[in-house]
Amino acid sequence: MNRNLAFLRPSPRFFSSALRTQSNKLPFVPLVAENGFVDAIGNTPLIKLNKLSDQLERNIYAKAEWMNPGGSVKDRAALYIIQDAEAKGQIQAGGTVVEGTAGNTGIGLAHVCRSRGYKCVIYMPNTQAASKIDLLKLLGAEVYPVPVKPFDDPMNYNHQAKRHAESLDNAVWTNQFDNTANRNAHIQSTGPEIWAQLDGKVDGFTCSTGTGGTLAGVTRYLKEISNGKVKSVLADPPGSVLYSYIKTNGKELDRSGSSFTEGIGQGRVTDNLKPDLEIIDDAIRIPDEESIVMLYRLLDEEGIYIGGTGALNVVAAAEVAKTLPKGSNVVTILADSAHKYSDRIFSKKWLQQKNLYDVLPANLQKYAILD
């Protein structure tokens, strides 16, 4: 230390007395990703949504997954899936990772592939935001946007990805929907983080499902560590079958409806979700109208700029909170930011085409500033 500044150094007595007056919170721990990109994945903040919590008289906490280095919750699955493939000898140095994805898992995989020296090939529905495709290409991925087909069609993007991987040497199809390394990422990281961040005071958890890995993994961890006390609820957009499947105990798969949200909803029960269906307490279907209003409310009231999935999850968390006693803590997932979707969800013209503009309260319509 510069001698001229030495007088600024606190004495040992200062530290001991200062520490004695603090709460029991852990001291700041600087995080350094010594092993590069992958070490920065996880350990995201848990944000209390103050205004919403005050209105509900229950506490809504949201995991800020856009703060992963690749920008979404799917960074976790991408890392664990690739590590699993490496451990099993399914890919060696210089190999190729192939996946079918609506975007965020592909982005996470592309980042991890760049950091580990793998090639990356992505098949995705051609209905996804163009910004996702552009970002994948910027990350060096080979991208194939293909027409939307149901899972039982051989031209479904997942099946095309599998065939592509099988045509190459030293390549792996990471199969995020049915590869349970995805689910394990959340048993081993997301769930424990949530429990530690609230010091075990978790009463409810809800989120939507794409692959089912986040909901299943976090639910499994929270149920086991709480001896089943944490209430878990699946949140579903219109057009997904899981709400009807859970509500009818597996008797119905109602596909009716569609949603502006991307990357969530499902036409089947994936292998990531199957092991934990029996411990999911309930399901809730969230209309697009409620999701878009919450998206704008979170920007206006909480200063949080997120995509449609996170907004739907917060609506669901509010509904779950209403079923619990006052003062309860309900946690959900903010899957990613709004950056990849802004040209749509903040476009007045696009919102009008989707019949979503007029559902926005007048004080929120000011945010729809794009043509």
Side-chain angles (χ1 to χ4, degrees):
M1 178 179 289
N2 187 312
R3 289 184 179 181
N4 293 329
L5 301 178
F7 70 92
L8 294 175
R9 180 187 294 162
S11 69
R13 288 186 63 188
F14 168 84
F15 280 118
S16 59
S17 62
L19 288 173
R20 282 197 298 270
T21 63
Q22 290 181 358
S23 67
N24 291 326
K25 288 185 177 181
L26 292 173
F28 170 70
V29 179
L31 301 177
V32 180
E34 295 284 4
N35 294 312
F37 179 91
V38 298
D39 268 9
I41 294 173
N43 199 31
T44 56
L46 192 65
I47 301 174
K48 184 178 180 181
L49 305 180
N50 287 307
K51 290 190 177 180
L52 183 60
S53 297
D54 289 345
Q55 291 164 8
L56 294 169
E57 299 183 89
R58 284 94 171 157
N59 303 312
I60 306 298
Y61 288 93
K63 201 87 162 84
E65 290 297 289
W66 80 81
M67 295 183 73
N68 280 300
S72 85
V73 66
K74 294 297 187 178
D75 285 6
R76 298 178 188 261
L79 174 60
Y80 275 71
I81 285 171
I82 288 181
Q83 287 179 331
D84 183 66
E86 291 171 338
K88 293 175 178 176
Q90 295 172 340
I91 190 169
Q92 290 77 41
T96 302
V97 171
V98 187
E99 184 54 279
T101 168
N104 279 332
T105 301
I107 292 166
L109 286 170
H111 275 289
V112 177
C113 283
R114 289 263 51 79
S115 71
R116 279 169 134 71
Y118 299 129
K119 302 179 186 69
C120 184
V121 177
I122 300 297
Y123 281 79
M124 65 190 306
N126 61 6
T127 55
Q128 301 304 293
S131 56
K132 288 184 181 179
I133 297 173
D134 291 341
L135 178 54
L136 285 165
K137 290 179 178 178
L138 285 168
L139 290 168
E142 189 177 328
V143 186
Y144 295 91
V146 299
V148 177
K149 300 291 182 182
F151 186 76
D152 56 7
D153 189 309
M155 296 307 291
N156 175 274
Y157 66 100
N158 289 293
H159 303 319
Q160 293 196 56
K162 179 182 180 182
R163 290 195 296 271
H164 190 118
E166 291 172 344
S167 73
L168 302 174
D169 293 327
N170 189 18
V172 61
W173 171 49
T174 45
N175 188 19
Q176 61 162 327
F177 290 90
D178 295 311
N179 184 341
T180 56
N182 175 350
R183 169 178 173 266
N184 290 340
H186 301 286
I187 294 175
Q188 296 179 36
S189 69
T190 320
E193 288 174 28
I194 290 168
W195 188 256
Q197 286 168 317
L198 287 178
D199 195 24
K201 298 177 178 66
V202 183
D203 301 296
F205 174 72
T206 183
C207 74
S208 51
T209 66
T211 64
T214 306
L215 176 72
V218 174
T219 293
R220 174 59 63 178
Y221 180 85
L222 294 179
K223 284 286 189 181
E224 290 190 355
I225 199 168
S226 70
N227 294 316
K229 294 179 181 178
V230 175
K231 182 176 184 178
S232 175
V233 177
L234 181 150
D236 228 15
S240 175
V241 305
L242 297 175
Y243 170 80
S244 62
Y245 187 87
I246 289 177
K247 285 293 192 180
T248 63
N249 293 317
K251 295 177 182 177
E252 293 182 13
L253 291 170
D254 179 10
R255 300 174 185 267
S256 60
S258 62
S259 177
F260 79 93
T261 56
E262 296 186 20
I264 57 172
Q266 189 52 262
R268 64 189 179 95
V269 179
T270 65
D271 286 353
N272 276 294
L273 190 56
K274 284 177 184 176
D276 303 299
L277 275 174
E278 63 182 21
I279 60 173
I280 293 172
D281 297 291
D282 202 357
I284 185 169
R285 179 174 283 163
I286 306 299
D288 273 6
E289 292 82 359
E290 295 183 24
S291 295
I292 197 69
V293 170
M294 182 59 74
L295 189 152
Y296 275 66
R297 280 187 62 191
L298 289 169
L299 178 60
D300 185 68
E301 298 174 10
E302 309 282 353
I304 294 176
Y305 182 70
I306 58 166
T309 296
L312 181 149
N313 288 346
V314 173
V315 175
E319 292 303 313
V320 172
K322 293 173 186 176
T323 70
L324 297 171
K326 290 183 180 180
S328 296
N329 294 333
V330 178
V331 179
T332 193
I333 302 292
L334 302 182
D336 62 1
S337 76
H339 290 87
K340 295 186 288 293
Y341 321 100
S342 60
D343 59 340
R344 298 183 181 188
I345 58 179
F346 295 108
S347 163
K348 180 177 179 180
K349 181 178 179 181
W350 184 86
L351 289 167
Q352 288 173 332
Q353 290 172 345
K354 298 292 182 180
N355 297 317
L356 294 175
Y357 181 75
D358 289 336
V359 306
L360 294 172
N363 69 304
L364 298 181
Q365 290 179 350
K366 64 185 178 184
Y367 294 108
I369 62 171
L370 303 180
D371 293 334

